[in-house]
């Protein structure tokens, strides 16, 4: 069995890594110790200098006091796929050279391979461990499967599962099935996701909150809304306390189906049970109501979140949605009332775009004196940005109001906005 495992893994590794893991010669004449290994600098370096630069950070730590492996890992998503691969390759080489025996270190490295969606590199980590006498475990196989599914390589993932099934030392466990469920959920393959859920139950493992999060998320992603509803009913029947992630996904399903009554009742239900709703949930509802011009529903939502004492971020989101909707409809009286109500709640405009939507409304209805009063009113709580000043300049120019235009330009100069 060990021979079969090694043969399979080496064959896959050879096939996927033959061109990727060729060492690039270091051609620069610069001193290694002068190279800056900070994440920002790595973004600018050519790929050929990545490993040499990282070597300089460990060989000459006195010249690189701010080098941090953790900060480097944090910037991995910002790097190109090639540079991210080289960083992780470099780390693996250091671990092997130092005869690292800690399984958790290799597991972490493989999880990073999954994060950058590089199954070939994860396979290289796995086979390198074997070559150095580190025996594989179920957890290592699970991590490798995760990397394969993250890279959309389900064929290799299934082959790895078959190896685990026929082994004696690294049989599939609860985490193995969970990995497949999460993987296929992320891929939007609900058929495979549900099959692995059934396989997990058949193997004697119970569904966890994480399982249901993946199942509901996968169904919503694939527009299988009925499936998401069924899994939610199953959650309630098991007595498992649902999570914010599940609630957000279910609400998204209602919004995408334009189930306005269900959206309203679902929000009320969440408030009764949880006493609060997340900003993401509010964003979904505000987006739905705004798209379909549901003014009354938006006002009712505001009353609901105010009465239930929701967080400032939630109140701000709903107030903003209402103001933007009225501004789009050119209902200036309602805009001004809504702005005044928001300010009385101790809130201010969330962003310049909201202010500019209101300004455009004033220009469309040619209410210039009222616009002056509005600007004076919000200056105490909101600093006008360049884009807002630009909107005023363009608006007054189009309206032929040269005196007001000159005033705005002077205000810009006094505010130091250029």
């Amino acid at each position: 069995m060990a021979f079969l495992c090694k043969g399979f893994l080496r064959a896959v590794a050879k096939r996927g890594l033959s061109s990727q893991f060729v060492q690039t010669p270091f051609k620069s004449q610069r001193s290694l110790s002068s190279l800056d290994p900070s994440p920002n600098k790595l973004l600018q370096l050519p790929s050929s200098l990545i490993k040499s630069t990282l070597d300089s950070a460990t060989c000459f730590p006195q010249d690189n006091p701010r080098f941090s492996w953790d900060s480097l890992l944090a910037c991995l998503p910002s790097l190109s796929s090639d540079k991210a691969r080289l960083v992780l390759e470099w780390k693996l080489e250091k671990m092997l050279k130092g005869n690292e025996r800690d399984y958790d270190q290799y597991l972490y490295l493989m999880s990073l391979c999954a994060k950058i969606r590089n199954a070939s590199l994860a396979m290289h980590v796995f086979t390198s461990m074997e070559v150095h006498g580190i025996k594989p475990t179920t957890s290592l196989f699970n991590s490798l499967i995760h990397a394969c599914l993250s890279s959309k390589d389900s064929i290799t993932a299934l082959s790895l599962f078959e190896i685990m099934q026929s082994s004696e030392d690294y049989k599939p466990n609860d985490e193995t099935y969970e990995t497949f469920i999460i993987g296929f959920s992320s891929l939007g393959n609900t058929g495979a996701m549900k099959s692995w859920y059934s396989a997990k139950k058949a193997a004697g493992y119970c569904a966890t909150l994480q399982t249901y999060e993946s199942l509901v998320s996968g169904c919503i992603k694939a527009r299988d809304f009925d499936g998401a509803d069924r899994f939610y009913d199953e959650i309630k029947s098991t007595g498992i306390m649902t999570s914010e992630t599940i609630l957000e996904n279910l609400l998204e399903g209602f919004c995408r189906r334009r189930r306005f009554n269900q959206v309203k009742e679902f929000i009320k239900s969440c408030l009764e049970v949880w006493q609060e709703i997340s900003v993401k949930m509010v964003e979904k509802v505000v987006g739905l109501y705004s798209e379909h011009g549901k003014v009354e529903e938006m006002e009712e939502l505001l009353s609901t979140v105010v009465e239930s004492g929701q967080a400032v971020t939630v109140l701000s989101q709903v107030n903003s949605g209402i103001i933007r909707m009225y501004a789009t409809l050119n209902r200036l009286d309602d805009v001004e009332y809504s702005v005044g109500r928001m300010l009385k709640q101790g809130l201010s405009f969330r962003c310049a775009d909201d202010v500019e939507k209101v300004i455009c409304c004033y220009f469309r209805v040619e209410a210039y004196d009222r616009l002056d009063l509005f600007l004076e009113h919000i200056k105490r709580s909101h600093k006008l940005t360049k884009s807002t000043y630009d909107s005023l300049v363009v608006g007054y120019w189009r309206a032929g109001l040269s005196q007001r235009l000159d005033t705005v330009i002077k205000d810009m100069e006094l505010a130091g906005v250029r």
Side-chain angles (χ1 to χ4, degrees), residues 208-222:
T208 63
L209 179 60
Q210 183 184 39
T211 307
Y212 285 118
E213 285 181 346
S214 299
L215 293 170
V216 172
S217 173
C219 286
I220 296 299
K221 185 177 295 185

Side-chain angles (χ1 to χ4, degrees), residues 86-324:
L86 289 168
V87 169
L88 297 186
E89 268 188 55
W90 173 84
K91 181 61 175 177
L92 174 62
E93 290 164 6
K94 294 298 178 185
M95 289 169 60
L96 295 174
K97 187 176 180 179
N99 197 30
E100 178 64 66
R101 312 298 294 179
D102 186 352
Y103 276 95
D104 289 338
Q105 293 294 322
Y106 290 100
L107 279 172
Y108 182 48
L109 191 58
M110 291 174 71
S111 72
L112 294 173
C113 294
K115 189 173 184 179
I116 65 171
R117 295 180 174 84
N118 194 321
S120 297
L121 181 54
M123 186 70 73
H124 181 55
V125 174
F126 193 104
T127 54
S128 295
M129 291 173 62
E130 281 200 303
V131 170
H132 282 72
I134 303 174
K135 295 182 179 179
T137 64
T138 296
S139 294
L140 289 170
F141 265 95
N142 291 341
S143 188
L144 185 54
I145 289 171
H146 174 49
C148 290
L149 292 173
S150 297
S151 305
K152 300 182 181 180
D153 186 1
S154 56
I155 294 176
T156 301
L158 293 171
S159 298
L160 291 167
F161 180 78
E162 292 173 358
I163 290 174
M164 295 176 74
Q165 277 188 312
S166 60
S167 75
E168 295 297 331
D169 299 324
Y170 25 82
K171 288 284 189 184
N173 60 9
D174 183 22
E175 184 187 353
T176 310
Y177 292 96
E178 196 72 29
T179 299
F180 276 102
I181 293 170
I182 294 171
F184 284 117
S185 170
S186 299
L187 294 173
N189 188 340
T190 54
M193 177 190 74
K194 292 176 182 178
S195 295
W196 280 97
Y197 175 52
S198 298
K200 177 175 181 173
K201 292 191 293 184
Y205 299 111
C206 297
T208 63
L209 179 60
Q210 183 184 39
T211 307
Y212 285 118
E213 285 181 346
S214 299
L215 293 170
V216 172
S217 173
C219 286
I220 296 299
K221 185 177 295 185
R223 301 186 66 85
D224 180 8
F225 303 122
D226 291 338
D229 293 341
R230 285 194 296 272
F231 283 125
Y232 183 54
D233 290 337
E234 190 175 318
I235 295 170
K236 291 187 289 186
S237 68
T238 61
I240 294 177
M241 183 64 74
T242 191
S243 67
E244 189 175 278
T245 299
I246 291 174
L247 295 176
E248 289 172 355
N249 275 294
L250 289 169
L251 181 59
E252 181 179 341
F254 294 140
C255 290
R256 289 169 70 175
R257 284 177 283 178
R258 302 173 187 175
R259 302 280 182 84
F260 298 105
N261 288 333
Q262 281 185 289
V263 166
K264 182 168 65 174
E265 293 304 317
F266 188 76
I267 289 294
K268 289 183 178 179
S269 175
C270 289
L271 288 173
E272 289 174 2
V273 177
W274 295 87
Q275 283 78 55
E276 63 180 15
I277 52 178
S278 69
V279 173
K280 283 187 178 180
M281 294 175 73
V282 171
E283 285 177 350
K284 295 180 192 300
V285 179
V286 169
L288 174 70
Y289 289 164
S290 297
E291 182 183 354
H292 297 281
K294 298 291 183 178
V295 175
E296 293 181 3
E297 286 81 355
M298 191 82 89
E299 289 284 0
E300 186 177 348
L301 175 63
L302 179 60
S303 298
T304 299
V305 296
V306 169
E307 291 170 6
S308 58
Q310 295 305 294
V312 170
T313 49
V314 170
L315 295 175
S316 180
Q317 185 77 35
V318 181
N319 274 292
S320 172
I322 290 174
I323 292 169
R324 291 168 70 100

Side-chain angles (χ1 to χ4, degrees), residues 336 362 368-378:
E336 293 181 333
Y362 278 107
Y368 307 117
D369 291 336
R370 292 169 70 175
L371 172 56
D372 290 342
L373 292 174
F374 165 75
L375 293 172
E376 188 63 34
H377 198 52
I378 68 169

Side-chain angles (χ1 to χ4, degrees), residues 40-74:
N40 289 336
K41 289 297 182 182
L42 288 180
L43 288 171
Q44 303 169 18
L45 285 174
S47 297
S48 60
L49 294 181
I50 295 295
K51 289 188 178 182
S52 299
T53 302
L54 292 172
D55 280 336
S56 75
T58 53
C59 292
F60 303 95
Q62 70 278 9
D63 295 318
N64 299 285
R66 286 187 280 180
F67 174 74
S68 166
W69 173 241
D70 290 335
S71 64
L72 183 59
L73 294 181

